[in-house]
């Protein structure tokens, strides 16, 4: 190798960039320098938090859910020392409300494997018995290769495999839009198959859901800053990369702010930016490259909308409730999830008489609630007052004994560029870790992990790109040792 150690640049300090930096900074005394470049003031990307002026507390921009099957994410959090800040549901249980305002309770025992899934679905009162039976067919319908159904949308896949319209509209649609941030008729069926294989139909039985009990900035971004700094990573926030310099088959430099940084012969770059930012990094001479053109096909974003509500008095609602065929997809009791203790609410007669199928004790007092719409393209341009009223009415549907609860403040958060649109055929466009340039590597949502644009997908992509760089460095080191003078080899 060259006399100077290689510099390993990571462009983007979201989950994927943090994951890549964590891998590349392992061990002490390794001949390398790791530089993490992030345009925003802090690390974390879309797993971000903000300080709310209304109550002075730190809140997440939107609610993220974790799965027990997120093995890469959990391993990263373990290294960061924050895995214990996740709470997982055991059994997997949640409320679901349909458009007729029927509230049903779904519970999947985790200790019984697939038998727990079978019994939970058969006991779910939110669907007719025929629809419940149809849901049990899906496990046998999952193809061995996800790519074999990448040409069709998820809704078509479900219809082709015996799912009733009721099961799709009242159950599968909510699961799909929550996992992929796209409606079932717009997302690749291969992503649904991947999600199902790692969650409900995992070989060891259904995997449960979890949630963070501290703001995401405390879970990921802030501890990552501390860990990576301690390991010697050069972290530069507020440092956007605006252009790559390319010569022949190599990345030779980067425009960083007003400066141009030239790359050495052994330097590498991992890029983790979203697809809509990837094309902008390259000079016009590279625009016809097939990889760039494929990534351009992924550059349309799907938004997420969150409406945070603060009530003057606590409202009794479950910890999380999913809504099918509603304006809002989820209502989260943020006070309960974050461990903010509130005085108990005596069971209201109207609440006690309300038609539901779970224990009354699952309704917890909360002043701060969050309503979320995934794939929110149609709702994005509605004005704040209209969205707030829809969210308030959704909460009142869920807690009918609280019609007089006064809403004192609300915050609407529009994440216009939340995730890429992975429509049918996306597997042909998403690249693997190595790019068309010898020293440029792809991570982030773009990389073909087989998963939708989730936290787990981002972490896996960062890990994979970093592992590929490690292999390249090791191979180069072996080659240099082989030809060192004095060892009997050619000099």
């Amino acid at each position: 190798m060259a006399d100077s150690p290689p510099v390993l640049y990571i462009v983007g300090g979201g989950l994927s960039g943090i994951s890549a930096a964590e891998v590349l900074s392992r061990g002490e005394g390794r001949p390398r320098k790791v530089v993490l470049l992030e345009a925003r003031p802090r690390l974390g990307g879309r797993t971000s938090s903000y300080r709310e002026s209304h109550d002075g507390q730190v809140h997440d921009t939107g609610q993220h859910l974790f799965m027990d099957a997120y093995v890469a994410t959990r391993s990263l959090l373990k290294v960061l020392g924050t895995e214990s800040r996740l709470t997982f549901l055991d059994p997997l249980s949640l409320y679901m409300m349909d458009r007729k305002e029927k509230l049903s309770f779904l519970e999947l025992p985790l200790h019984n494997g697939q038998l727990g899934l079978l019994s939970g679905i058969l006991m779910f009162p939110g669907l007719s018995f025929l629809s419940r039976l149809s849901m049990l067919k899906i496990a046998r319908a999952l193809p061995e290769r996800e790519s074999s159904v990448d040409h069709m949308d998820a809704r078509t896949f479900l219809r082709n495999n015996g799912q009733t319209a009721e099961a799709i509209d009242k159950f599968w649609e909510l699961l799909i839009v929550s996992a992929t941030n796209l409606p079932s008729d717009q997302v690749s069926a291969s992503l649904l198959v991947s999600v199902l294989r790692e969650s409900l139909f995992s070989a060891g039985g259904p995997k449960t859901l979890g949630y963070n009990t501290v703001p995401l900035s405390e879970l990921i971004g802030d501890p990552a800053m501390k860990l990576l700094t301690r390991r010697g990573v050069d972290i530069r926030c507020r440092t956007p990369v605006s252009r790559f310099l390319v010569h022949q088959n190599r990345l030779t430099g980067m425009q960083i702010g007003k400066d141009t940084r030239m790359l050495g012969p052994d330097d590498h770059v991992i890029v983790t930016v979203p697809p809509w930012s990837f094309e902008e990094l390259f000079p016009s001479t590279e625009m016809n490259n097939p990889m760039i053109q494929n990534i351009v096909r992924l550059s349309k974003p799907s938004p997420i909308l969150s409406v945070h509500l603060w009530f003057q008095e606590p409202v009794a609602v479950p910890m999380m409730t999913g809504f099918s065929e509603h304006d809002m997809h989820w209502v989260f009791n943020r006070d309960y999830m974050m461990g903010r203790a509130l005085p108990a609410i005596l069971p209201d007669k109207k609440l006690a008489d309300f038609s539901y199928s779970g224990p009354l004790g699952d309704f917890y007092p909360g002043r701060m609630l969050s309503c979320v719409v995934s794939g929110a393209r149609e709702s994005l341009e509605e004005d704040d007052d209209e969205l707030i009223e829809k969210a308030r009415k959704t909460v009142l549907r869920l807690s009918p004994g609280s019609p007089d609860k006064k809403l004192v403040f609300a915050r609407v958060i529009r994440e216009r560029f939340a995730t890429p649109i992975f429509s049918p055929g996306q597997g042909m466009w998403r690249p693997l870790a190595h790019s068309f340039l010898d020293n440029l590597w792809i991570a982030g949502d773009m990389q073909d992990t087989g998963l939708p644009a989730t936290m787990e997908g981002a972490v896996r992509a960062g890990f994979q790109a970093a592992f590929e760089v490690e292999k390249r460095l090791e191979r180069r080191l072996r080659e240099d040792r082989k030809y060192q003078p004095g060892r009997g080899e050619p000099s």
Side-chain angles (χ1 to χ4, degrees), residues 208-460:
T208 190
L209 290 174
Y211 58 93
N212 50 299
T213 60
V214 296
L216 288 169
S217 58
E218 295 181 25
L219 185 77
I220 300 169
D222 295 347
M225 175 70 80
K226 293 178 181 178
L227 173 72
L228 298 177
T229 300
R230 189 167 64 247
R231 289 183 177 182
V233 176
D234 183 0
I235 301 175
R236 306 179 191 178
C237 294
R238 294 188 174 92
T239 308
V241 175
S242 57
R243 185 71 67 185
F244 287 156
L245 306 180
V246 179
H247 180 66
Q248 294 181 351
N249 70 331
R250 284 187 59 82
L251 196 63
T252 58
M254 294 185 290
Q255 188 74 34
I256 304 175
K258 296 181 180 180
D259 301 324
T260 299
R261 176 64 57 90
M262 302 308 295
L263 302 184
D266 295 314
D267 295 349
H268 292 265
V269 176
I270 296 176
V271 59
T272 72
V273 301
W276 43 83
S277 300
F278 187 77
E279 177 189 17
E280 299 173 0
L281 294 172
F282 290 88
S284 58
T285 54
E286 303 296 325
M287 286 302 100
N288 291 328
N289 181 276
M291 176 178 284
I292 294 179
Q293 289 300 307
N294 285 342
I295 293 175
V296 167
R297 291 187 173 96
L298 305 171
S299 61
K300 294 181 179 179
S302 183
I304 295 177
L305 177 74
S306 298
V307 183
H308 299 330
L309 305 175
W310 282 263
F311 289 87
Q312 188 172 40
E313 300 295 333
V315 179
V317 295
M319 181 177 64
M320 65 175 73
T321 307
F323 292 79
S324 60
E325 306 171 294
H326 271 268
D327 295 322
M328 302 285 160
H329 290 135
W330 291 93
V331 170
F332 297 98
N333 187 331
R334 294 292 298 154
D335 279 333
Y336 180 82
M337 297 172 78
M338 301 299 284
R340 294 190 283 261
L342 294 175
I345 299 176
L346 293 176
D348 188 287
K349 184 178 185 300
K350 293 180 181 178
L351 180 60
D353 290 343
F354 187 44
S355 175
Y356 69 97
S357 53
L360 184 60
D362 285 345
F363 284 70
Y364 307 104
R367 286 194 182 95
M368 195 267 180
L369 310 177
S370 183
C371 300
V372 176
V373 185
S374 300
R377 186 179 302 177
E378 295 180 2
S379 305
L380 203 62
E381 302 308 324
E382 296 181 33
D383 61 46
D384 284 4
D385 290 342
E386 186 174 358
L387 291 169
I388 291 168
E389 181 61 15
K390 285 184 176 181
R392 188 187 70 85
K393 287 182 177 178
T394 301
V395 170
L396 294 184
R397 290 190 189 103
L398 184 58
S399 186
S402 308
D404 57 342
K405 299 295 184 182
K406 182 181 178 181
L407 184 67
V408 295
F409 185 76
R411 174 79 66 188
V412 177
I413 297 178
R414 296 173 174 84
E415 298 179 77
R416 295 179 182 274
F417 293 84
T419 62
I421 293 178
F422 289 151
S423 55
Q426 53 84 41
M428 298 185 296
W429 307 327
R430 296 172 71 179
L432 298 176
H434 194 204
S435 78
F436 63 99
L437 298 175
D438 185 60
N439 59 338
L440 179 66
W441 308 82
I442 307 295
D445 293 333
M446 297 180 290
Q447 192 193 106
D448 188 8
T449 60
L451 293 175
T454 57
M455 291 182 288
E456 178 70 3
V459 175
R460 290 187 194 182

Side-chain angles (χ1 to χ4, degrees), residues 67 142-143 145-147 149 188-200 426 449-452 460:
M67 284 201 307
L142 299 181
R145 294 182 300 107
E146 290 89 346
S147 58
V149 293
S188 167
S190 68
L191 300 180
L192 170 61
V193 172
S194 295
V195 169
L196 292 180
R197 184 164 280 138
E198 294 198 18
S199 57
L200 288 180
Q426 53 84 41
T449 60
L451 293 175
R460 290 187 194 182

Side-chain angles (χ1 to χ4, degrees), residues 69-81:
Y70 279 9
V71 291
T73 305
R74 295 186 69 174
S75 70
L76 174 64
L77 295 181
K78 186 175 182 178
V79 172
L80 296 180

